[in-house]
Amino acid sequence: MTRYGIDELDRAIADSEAHGLVKVLTVPGKDRILGVTIAGEHAGDLIAEYILAMRHGIGLNKILGTIHIYPTLSEANKYAAGNWKREHAPQSVLKWVERYHAWMRG
């Protein structure tokens, strides 16, 4: 399960609607979306992207790669996908790359 607090979203802050969250349930270790809960202003508009993704088998990686106009509330979907990506980063590979670059720098 991945969460993103809408209170951090620029557009929500500008519109004085900075409350709520996006919560995405995925298959463990995969980006396939099983379900989504969105609470806050315009939740009905935000969930449409997830409905499309679930209907057509689009995962969070593809949502993260989609261009979301700034500043809009739909960026909350992209940021939720970004939180998922950070939580599932391959730590062993990242440590290896860090050691490699440290070795290359001397």
Side-chain angles (χ1 to χ4, degrees):
M1 181 180 58
T2 303
R3 293 180 186 211
Y4 173 75
I6 294 176
D7 55 327
E8 302 172 9
L9 189 62
D10 291 346
R11 181 58 184 253
I13 293 168
D15 291 346
S16 298
E17 298 173 348
H19 52 276
L21 65 92
V22 176
K23 184 168 60 171
V24 183
L25 183 63
T26 55
V27 174
K30 300 195 184 274
D31 72 336
R32 188 172 141 237
I33 303 165
L34 296 176
V36 178
T37 300
I38 302 177
E41 297 290 328
H42 308 286
D45 297 331
L46 294 175
I47 203 159
E49 184 172 18
Y50 289 110
I51 292 169
L52 176 75
M54 291 171 65
R55 175 73 174 101
H56 294 286
I58 298 168
L60 287 177
N61 280 316
K62 298 270 182 168
I63 290 176
L64 182 60
T66 301
I67 296 170
H68 292 79
I69 306 304
Y70 177 85
T72 59
L73 293 173
S74 67
E75 283 184 301
N77 296 341
K78 179 180 179 179
Y79 293 145
N83 285 351
W84 178 87
K85 188 73 166 183
R86 276 188 293 284
E87 292 170 6
H88 292 85
Q91 295 302 318
S92 60
V93 173
L94 292 175
K95 287 183 183 190
W96 182 86
V97 170
E98 182 181 359
R99 286 194 310 261
Y100 173 77
H101 285 288
W103 175 75
M104 289 297 289
R105 282 179 275 172

